[in-house]
Amino acid sequence: MENKQDILKQLASNDMEVVKSAIEQIKQEGDISIAAELLDILQQSQDTAVITNLTALLSDVKDSNFKTILMDKLINATSDTGKANLLRICWESAIDFSEYLDVFVDMLINEDFITALEASTVIENLGGKIPEEKLLAAIKRLETNKDEDKSFLLEDTILHLKVLLCPEEEEEYEEENDHHHCGCDGHHHDA
C-alpha cells in the first residue's frame, strides 16, 4: 500500500466522507500491514464515528496474522478505553480467539467495568475448542474473585464456561442422570 500515510491522514480526518473513502480503499486492497496503525488510531480516538467505522472494518479482517497483531496491541494497551475498543473487535470478528481465554479472563478480573464487560462478551462469543483444563482453570479464577461491582459479569461468564465444559449436559442429564461423567459439579441433584 504505497499511500499508507495518506490513508492514515484521511482516517484521522474530521470529515466522515474522507474517513469512509479511506476505509473503502483499505477494504479493497486488503493490506494487513496497515492494521497495526489502525489499531493505534482506535486506541487513541475519542470520536465515536471513527471508532464505529474502524471497529467494523477491523472486525472484517480475516487474515490470521491479524489475530497476533490485535492481541499484542490489546495486551500492551495502556488506556481503559483503548482496551475496550480492541476487545470489541475480538467479539465482532469472525476470527477465533479461543486460545487467548486467559487474557480475556485477566481483563475481566483486573480491568475497569466497561473493559470487563467487553471481555466477558468476548468470552461468551468464543467459538473454538478450549481444552478442559483451561476452562476449569478459568472457572476457578473467576469463582475466587470477589468483586462486588462485577459479580453478575463474573457469574454469567462462569455459567457460560460451564456450558462450554459440558455442552451436552442439558439433554444427557434428562436421559442418564446416573451416568453423567463430564467432570463438572454444577448440576447435581440433591437426593
Side-chain angles (χ1 to χ4, degrees):
M1 193 178 272
E2 69 289 346
N3 53 353
K4 195 193 277 193
Q5 291 314 316
D6 293 346
I7 286 192
L8 292 172
K9 270 199 204 90
Q10 289 169 12
L11 284 169
S13 163
N14 292 325
D15 180 345
M16 226 40 246
E17 287 312 308
V18 174
V19 174
K20 279 193 177 134
S21 87
I23 285 176
E24 275 315 305
Q25 203 174 331
I26 296 165
K27 271 189 175 164
Q28 281 156 21
E29 300 197 18
D31 184 349
I32 193 77
S33 70
I34 200 171
E37 284 98 329
L38 297 182
L39 291 167
D40 289 338
I41 293 173
L42 189 59
Q43 285 185 71
Q44 288 141 24
S45 181
Q46 302 298 315
D47 184 323
T48 48
V50 170
I51 292 170
T52 304
N53 279 310
L54 278 182
T55 303
L57 170 73
L58 292 163
S59 300
D60 276 349
V61 176
K62 309 235 180 346
D63 189 310
S64 56
N65 296 323
F66 176 64
K67 178 167 32 176
T68 318
I69 297 169
L70 174 57
M71 291 308 295
D72 187 52
K73 294 282 181 194
L74 178 59
I75 290 163
N76 295 301
T78 48
S79 83
D80 292 337
T81 319
K83 286 177 189 167
N85 290 345
L86 297 178
L87 284 164
R88 191 184 307 169
I89 297 171
C90 295
W91 65 259
E92 288 188 8
S93 172
I95 297 173
D96 178 28
F97 289 92
S98 298
E99 70 207 72
Y100 294 102
L101 174 65
D102 304 350
V103 175
F104 304 130
V105 169
D106 281 345
M107 296 203 158
L108 174 51
I109 291 171
N110 300 320
E111 302 297 334
D112 72 312
F113 185 82
I114 298 296
T115 308
L117 178 62
E118 295 290 351
S120 74
T121 309
V122 174
I123 294 169
E124 288 183 15
N125 284 284
L126 293 176
K129 190 89 185 81
I130 302 169
E132 186 174 315
E133 64 275 11
K134 252 189 147 174
L135 287 169
L136 288 168
I139 291 167
K140 191 170 186 175
R141 285 185 61 204
L142 293 168
E143 284 178 338
T144 53
N145 192 273
K146 299 282 178 263
D147 186 329
E148 301 264 315
D149 296 334
K150 296 183 201 160
S151 61
F152 80 93
L153 281 182
L154 295 164
E155 284 163 23
D156 283 358
T157 307
I158 290 166
L159 283 174
H160 179 72
L161 291 172
K162 284 185 173 174
V163 168
L164 289 182
L165 198 56
C166 318
E168 66 293 324
E169 62 139 320
E170 296 304 321
E171 315 89 68
E172 268 194 20
Y173 192 75
E174 301 303 314
E175 294 161 27
E176 13 171 332
N177 100 44
D178 295 331
H179 311 288
H180 189 75
H181 300 295
C182 83
C184 40
D185 56 4
H187 43 260
H188 291 303
H189 276 332
D190 290 329

